[in-house]
Amino acid sequence: MNKHINVAILQTSDIHGAIYPLHYGDNTAAEAGIAKISTLIKQERAKSNNVIVIDNGDLIQGTPLTYHYAKYMRQEKNPLSLILNHIGYDGAVLGNHEFNYGMNVLHTAVTESQIPYLSANILHKSTMNPYFGTPYIIQTIEAGVRIAILGVTTHYIPNWENPDHIEELVFEDALSSTKKWVQYIREHENPDVLIVSYHGGFERDLETGEPTEILTGENQGYAMCFEVEGIDILLTGHQHRSIVNQKVNGVTVLQPGSNGRSLGKVHIALMYDDNQWLIQDCYSELLSVEGIEADEAVLALAAVYEDKTQHWLDQPIGTIEGNMLVEDPMQIRIQDNALIEFINKVQMHTAGVDISNTALFDNASPGFKHNITMRDIVSNYIYPNTLKVIRITGQDIKDALEQSAQYFMLDNNGAITVNPSFTEPKPQHYNYDMWEGIVYTLNISKPIGERVVSLQYEGQPIHLEQEFDVVMNNYRAGGGGNYMMYQNKPVIKDIPMDMSELITSYILERGTIQATVNHNWKVITD
């Protein structure tokens, strides 16, 4: 028997529906997408038979193609399921965004997959058994080497997701579930290698152990490495980070970024000694898709979906009179502007309330040109958010504004810049909100927590005990982005339509939209 065996574990995570290597905003080429990843996987399989491929979640949502499929083509097979079947993945883990299009779309994706979905801690409410099937798989490769892969998902999903999408589910604490199942696998399966594939990230600095975020339980990767005995490799995701060739408490860890820009790879060297296989060496690397040709077979599988998506994206919607372009994202966030005011107006009109907040989700958002198409809508409103109206107090509004004000800091020259906590380890520009219906000023020269220097409603200072009905997206209404003041507040109205549809309908009804700025808020430094 060969006493030395090498194994390659290949990982994708946070693909977010990226199939074609392009930017949908303008159809320019992108060094990204699962079609390029497929070529890399083929190359790795050509080198060895001992290759295992795992997707770590957030697969089926995130591009205009997946949105168009979920809204208009759901009678067809899920394109990402077709592609993973074709590539021949060995398993997949559910991510938080898998639930965004509702359980019908997710069920279709799971049932059409020829690969197992691993979900140890997402349980059926009535049986308390894993809802989507098996918690783990055992892959047996050369010489009978047995590799266990346990799938776990961040349990923080109920803080973001539409309750109707997850009403049958219970999300067990990911850390405690991992402890339970790792112990079970070690005792009952006795694998030679045990891998945890966790759709979640790291809550602490990998070297110092210092917290890098508020410890809500959303990301528990660091705790898993220190508190769960028996993990050899921890595959992570969710944070869109590139983490490579690192060990935490002896556990090899990996995170491959997002949108199919890199394929994660863990090298395992095994040696047979004293009637058992031992890990002699284990390290990780990232294989970039830059310069890699897209797999034509994968592109062909998605061609019908892509063609219909492109036709839909080019449909004219209406026109803008005035300027709603994003020329400087920082300026958009420092003083009132027409684009954000327009989004808030749509939200207020839809909800029938007079206070709203929203964000500029990404620095790559282009804003709206004079002639608007669906491509413009989905390029600016990139998430399938719905709306909620919640009843909150003046104190909650002030606390939320203070939370947003943390987005800014002053550099050595006294100029406003972005707080690194909103850019590292993951860009979180979407967690800075701008409001309509109230008048406020944020002074960034003040200490954090004391930056709201003016706050009014209908020309009068807001009383902290006053109650207000405010419309915001469902992610924020659930407390997403550390807006804990919104959690468990009365829901006055739930609006289940996606914001991209609401924006489209608003423009279609009017034909022409005037770009307006009422200057109800500003950010200052003195």
Side-chain angles (χ1 to χ4, degrees):
M1 180 177 66
N2 185 358
K3 294 199 173 186
H4 296 275
I5 290 176
N6 293 312
V7 182
I9 309 297
L10 305 182
Q11 179 207 6
T12 52
S13 191
D14 301 275
I15 293 291
H16 283 291
I19 300 172
Y20 280 72
L22 57 81
H23 298 285
Y24 278 98
D26 55 11
N27 278 347
T28 55
E31 295 288 1
I34 199 168
K36 283 176 172 270
I37 291 287
S38 178
T39 300
L40 287 176
I41 292 172
K42 284 183 176 179
Q43 293 174 356
E44 292 300 309
R45 284 178 170 152
K47 300 175 187 176
S48 170
N49 292 324
N50 297 330
V51 175
I52 296 173
V53 187
I54 299 294
D55 183 76
N56 192 58
D58 281 4
L59 173 72
I60 67 171
Q61 175 277 335
T63 59
L65 184 150
T66 59
Y67 179 87
H68 182 266
Y69 162 76
K71 289 298 176 182
Y72 306 110
M73 296 182 68
R74 63 170 62 184
Q75 74 281 2
E76 306 293 337
K77 291 185 176 181
N78 190 292
L80 276 304
S81 295
L82 290 175
I83 289 167
L84 261 62
N85 291 342
H86 169 79
I87 294 173
Y89 274 67
D90 295 288
V93 176
L94 292 161
N96 52 294
H97 284 286
E98 255 65 72
F99 299 91
N100 287 172
Y101 297 141
M103 286 299 288
N104 288 339
V105 171
L106 178 52
H107 271 302
T108 298
V110 171
T111 56
E112 290 173 351
S113 292
Q114 297 165 4
I115 61 175
Y117 270 82
L118 312 179
S119 175
N121 69 315
I122 302 178
L123 312 179
H124 198 293
K125 185 177 290 185
S126 60
T127 66
M128 294 304 286
N129 293 322
Y131 188 94
F132 292 94
T134 180
Y136 66 91
I137 56 173
I138 303 290
Q139 294 293 103
T140 302
I141 58 171
E142 182 183 343
V145 171
R146 302 176 78 246
I147 297 177
I149 301 141
L150 172 69
V152 188
T153 304
T154 177
H155 61 261
Y156 212 61
I157 290 172
N159 291 284
W160 310 310
E161 191 52 69
N162 184 332
D164 293 341
H165 294 173
I166 55 175
E167 60 184 354
E168 297 178 347
L169 307 179
V170 171
F171 294 86
E172 188 176 61
D173 180 271
L175 177 61
S176 61
S177 186
T178 301
K179 287 180 182 177
K180 175 179 68 180
W181 282 105
V182 166
Q183 181 179 0
Y184 178 91
I185 292 167
R186 283 294 184 192
E187 290 178 357
H188 292 83
E189 300 285 2
N190 192 29
D192 300 297
V193 180
L194 196 154
I195 300 169
V196 174
S197 185
Y198 168 48
H199 189 82
F202 293 96
E203 71 279 32
R204 297 178 182 272
D205 183 276
L206 299 188
E207 295 182 0
T208 67
E210 290 296 313
T212 54
E213 62 187 37
I214 297 173
L215 300 180
T216 61
E218 177 181 349
N219 298 298
Q220 299 175 299
Y222 192 88
M224 288 179 181
C225 291
F226 276 90
E227 298 181 30
V228 183
E229 292 186 15
I231 301 175
D232 296 311
I233 298 163
L234 180 64
L235 307 177
T236 64
H238 184 54
Q239 294 173 311
H240 297 192
R241 298 169 65 182
S242 295
I243 299 173
V244 64
N245 201 23
Q246 295 200 51
K247 292 182 185 290
V248 178
N249 194 34
V251 178
T252 300
V253 300
L254 176 64
Q255 192 171 144
S258 62
N259 300 108
R261 295 185 182 92
S262 295
L263 175 66
K265 180 179 181 181
V266 180
H267 301 256
I268 311 171
L270 294 162
M271 177 180 67
Y272 193 74
D273 184 50
D274 195 23
N275 294 318
Q276 61 181 329
W277 287 101
L278 302 174
I279 297 177
Q280 193 174 24
D281 191 19
C282 187
Y283 65 94
S284 63
E285 66 172 321
L286 294 179
L287 308 177
S288 172
V289 302
E290 188 170 353
I292 299 296
E293 290 294 322
D295 184 338
E296 291 295 334
V298 169
L299 298 180
L301 281 172
V304 172
Y305 304 87
E306 175 70 7
D307 289 346
K308 291 186 177 182
T309 300
Q310 291 290 348
H311 176 74
W312 172 70
L313 287 172
D314 288 331
Q315 292 178 7
I317 302 298
T319 59
I320 298 289
E321 293 296 335
N323 184 4
M324 282 195 196
L325 294 173
V326 176
E327 294 161 350
D328 184 339
M330 180 62 93
Q331 288 303 310
I332 292 278
R333 298 184 179 105
I334 287 176
Q335 57 186 342
D336 194 15
N337 64 89
L339 176 65
I340 298 302
E341 188 165 302
F342 168 68
I343 300 299
N344 274 320
K345 279 183 177 179
V346 173
Q347 294 187 172
M348 291 187 295
H349 170 79
T350 303
V353 299
D354 61 357
I355 304 178
S356 171
N357 64 52
T358 191
L360 181 68
F361 294 125
D362 193 295
N363 284 349
S365 297
F368 291 131
K369 306 186 298 288
H370 175 67
N371 294 308
I372 310 172
T373 64
M374 281 304 306
R375 193 181 303 278
D376 299 311
I377 304 293
V378 299
S379 295
N380 286 282
Y381 209 101
I382 59 178
Y383 297 114
N385 290 334
T386 59
L387 296 179
K388 287 184 185 296
V389 177
I390 60 174
R391 184 161 291 165
I392 60 177
T393 65
Q395 183 68 63
D396 295 326
I397 292 175
K398 184 175 185 296
D399 291 344
L401 288 170
E402 292 288 2
Q403 174 65 30
S404 278
Q406 294 184 44
Y407 179 81
F408 299 110
M409 59 183 295
L410 299 179
D411 64 18
N412 293 333
N413 297 317
I416 296 179
T417 185
V418 178
N419 187 332
S421 66
F422 283 79
T423 57
E424 298 294 339
K426 173 185 177 180
Q428 297 181 53
H429 303 294
Y430 51 81
N431 282 332
Y432 170 74
D433 287 337
M434 293 157 279
W435 292 63
E436 193 66 30
I438 58 175
V439 177
Y440 65 94
T441 302
L442 306 179
N443 188 336
I444 308 308
S445 68
K446 302 287 187 182
I448 285 176
E450 302 175 17
R451 291 176 166 181
V452 179
V453 295
S454 176
L455 179 57
Q456 295 181 327
Y457 173 72
E458 294 186 339
Q460 299 295 323
I462 285 181
H463 296 293
L464 299 183
E465 69 278 5
Q466 274 182 276
E467 290 188 330
F468 303 88
D469 291 348
V470 180
V471 60
M472 61 190 75
N473 68 59
N474 62 296
Y475 170 80
R476 187 68 82 239
N482 297 323
Y483 285 80
M484 305 304 182
M485 70 291 300
Y486 299 145
Q487 288 186 334
N488 303 315
K489 292 300 166 73
V491 177
I492 306 305
K493 190 179 295 185
D494 188 355
I495 302 164
M497 286 183 66
D498 287 352
M499 262 301 286
S500 56
E501 290 187 49
L502 295 173
I503 295 169
T504 301
S505 297
Y506 187 92
I507 297 172
L508 283 170
E509 288 172 5
R510 290 157 180 78
T512 299
I513 303 296
Q514 299 293 330
T516 62
V517 184
N518 62 10
H519 303 289
N520 67 298
W521 64 270
K522 60 184 175 180
V523 177
I524 62 175
T525 58
D526 54 27

